[in-house]
Amino acid sequence: MSQPSQLLSGAKGEYAPGPGSGLILAIESSCDETAAAVVERGRHTLSTIVASQISIHAPYGGVVPELASREHLRNIVPVVRAALTKAGISFSDLDAIAVTEGPGLAGALLVGVAYAKSLAFALGKPLIAVNHLEGHIHAVLLAQREAMGEPVPTVCGRSLALVVSGGHTHLYLTRHQGESFAYCNVGATLDDAAGEAFDKVAKLLGLGYPGGPWIDALAPHGDPSSVAFTFAQIKQKAHRPAPSAGPPRFLFSFSGIKTAVLRYVQIHGLYPSIERRREALAALPLAGPTAALPLCDARTLGLIASFQRAVVDDLKRKTFQAAEALGAEEILVSGGVAANRELRARFTEEAGRRGLPIAFPTVALSTDNAAMIAAAAWPRFLAGRFASLDLTADASLALGSEVRTRPPAPGKE
Ligand code: KG4
Ligand code: ZN
């Protein structure tokens, strides 16, 4: 974890801002990362600082909302200062302040929103409210733009975006014309998010928090065909609404596979070995997945590999089904789970087989960060879509329009 005190020691950058440089300072505090970034014109990252709270929440095996809010309060000022220092600019060089408005934990979001509003008011700069999920989609576009350099080619007009993280599993049909983006939600999870399933399974197996990176690292050591998690256990459903209600909807469910892992643990009497592993890892506070490997037997490694394979296959199958049904010209995959190596490999392989372009953010941009919020703010900046100072956090903010699963009741359109 990066401590804010360490972040402040970042070297002063070389950047010399000019008038109308398009410099946006973005702030992200929707969950357990306090992040700030300075991005120029939505495509050139001058600084990105993330203060993670993993060590605070790890003993609880999940994010504790009250602790998250308290840590955001402690971190926000040093993190923002570190972002400016690293970018080599001062507050007066900024063209706008962007902030995550939602979705996320209400108390956590409020810290970022209140701070961004105060800053915008004090500096007399415009405020831009950004949806966290749109930020994840723009992480892919930012990575593409940075990798390709200037002049920036536009991505194709009709993409399918899978946003897969600890709090979300969504499919969006994303249309854009130049710098203007429109989103339609065409898929979501009925229960747990995919990242949540990674975290809960890792916790059940006595591994560290967050569980995704642990399972990612351990899975290659197990046999992914050793436990047959059928798609029926994942309650696969694809709802096709009435013809008037638009395109089909693709639904995920990850609570079934979580329960199936639990049953496997019970049936095979794995609790004593899980307890030994939990205790051994607790005695090594800084231990990572490498320390867990010798503590896992072949059966456990097979379980981990089979779980990951089943989740990745389910995400892959529905994403490509949706891409085909909706005529997407490109697939974008983002969110914390997009850091998963097997997911990247299997999605890339499938896209290659179908001749469909696919893009991911860098691994660092996959998990929560503020550079993606600054990138998503840029089209709003260009369009002059600024937020007022009565902006407040919206914990359940949705992105774009949504495809209905049922036709509207008569007279209710
Ligand atoms: O995007 P993110 O930082 O926060 C949310 O918006 O939720 O995603 C965090 C989630 C956690 O559930 C974490 O376990 C998962 O992303 N994650 C991974 C990997 N790295 C992070 N899941 C699978 N494999 C990974 N390598
Ligand atoms: Zn996120």
Side-chain angles (χ1 to χ4, degrees), residues 156-161 172-175 186 319-332 354-357:
C156 65
R158 192 179 171 91
S159 315
L160 184 77
Y172 293 99
L173 187 60
T174 302
R175 293 192 188 86
V186 293
T319 302
F320 283 90
Q321 249 179 21
E324 192 175 320
L326 301 169
E329 295 152 6
E330 181 183 44
I331 292 184
L332 312 174
R354 294 173 181 246
L356 205 56

Side-chain angles (χ1 to χ4, degrees), residues 144-166:
Q144 278 185 327
R145 289 167 184 151
E146 291 199 311
M148 289 171 180
E150 302 283 351
V152 180
T154 51
V155 290
C156 65
R158 192 179 171 91
S159 315
L160 184 77
L162 169 67
V163 180
V164 60
S165 70

Side-chain angles (χ1 to χ4, degrees), residues 90-282:
S90 58
F91 281 121
S92 59
D93 297 318
L94 294 171
D95 292 291
I97 317 291
V99 66
T100 304
E101 176 189 10
L105 301 171
L109 287 163
L110 270 175
V111 176
V113 168
Y115 185 80
K117 279 181 2 181
S118 317
L119 209 52
F121 177 71
L123 299 172
K125 311 269 182 191
L127 177 70
I128 303 173
V130 175
N131 185 306
H132 181 80
L133 298 164
E134 185 175 16
H136 273 304
I137 296 173
H138 278 262
V140 191
L141 307 178
L142 176 62
Q144 278 185 327
R145 289 167 184 151
E146 291 199 311
M148 289 171 180
E150 302 283 351
V152 180
T154 51
V155 290
C156 65
R158 192 179 171 91
S159 315
L160 184 77
L162 169 67
V163 180
V164 60
S165 70
H168 309 280
T169 305
H170 286 291
L171 283 168
Y172 293 99
L173 187 60
T174 302
R175 293 192 188 86
H176 82 95
Q177 207 166 14
E179 294 280 5
S180 163
F181 291 81
Y183 309 92
C184 177
N185 186 303
V186 293
T189 177
L190 292 167
D191 39 56
D192 292 353
E196 200 177 345
F198 271 92
D199 295 341
K200 286 177 177 169
V201 165
K203 187 177 177 184
L204 171 69
L205 298 179
L207 303 172
Y209 174 82
W214 290 69
I215 288 180
D216 187 355
L218 293 170
H221 301 277
D223 173 4
S225 62
S226 59
V227 186
F229 291 118
T230 63
F231 286 114
Q233 283 171 305
I234 310 174
K235 292 193 282 185
Q236 179 218 333
K237 286 181 190 169
H239 286 208
R240 183 171 287 279
S244 61
R249 192 150 162 73
F250 297 84
L251 299 179
F252 299 94
S253 167
F254 296 104
S255 68
I257 194 164
K258 189 188 64 189
T259 310
V261 172
L262 175 64
R263 287 225 186 87
Y264 185 93
V265 164
Q266 289 166 340
I267 289 166
H268 293 88
L270 299 188
Y271 280 121
S273 68
I274 289 174
E275 219 29 64
R276 280 197 297 278
R277 182 160 52 246
R278 203 188 304 280
E279 279 167 16
L281 290 173

Side-chain angles (χ1 to χ4, degrees), residues 269-346:
L270 299 188
Y271 280 121
S273 68
I274 289 174
E275 219 29 64
R276 280 197 297 278
R277 182 160 52 246
R278 203 188 304 280
E279 279 167 16
L281 290 173
L284 305 165
L286 296 178
T290 322
L293 182 57
L295 303 169
C296 297
D297 57 14
R299 190 189 285 277
T300 303
L301 290 170
L303 175 62
I304 290 170
S306 304
F307 163 78
Q308 178 169 284
R309 172 64 54 90
V311 172
V312 166
D313 274 352
D314 188 55
L315 289 167
K316 186 186 79 175
R317 203 165 47 80
K318 285 174 192 155
T319 302
F320 283 90
Q321 249 179 21
E324 192 175 320
L326 301 169
E329 295 152 6
E330 181 183 44
I331 292 184
L332 312 174
V333 190
S334 62
V337 182
N340 186 274
R341 287 171 300 170
E342 183 170 1
L343 183 146
R344 285 181 180 236
R346 291 178 75 79

Side-chain angles (χ1 to χ4, degrees), residues 376-391:
W378 178 244
R380 280 188 163 66
F381 178 82
L382 289 178
R385 288 167 60 198
F386 301 127
S388 70
L389 288 179
D390 59 11
L391 175 73

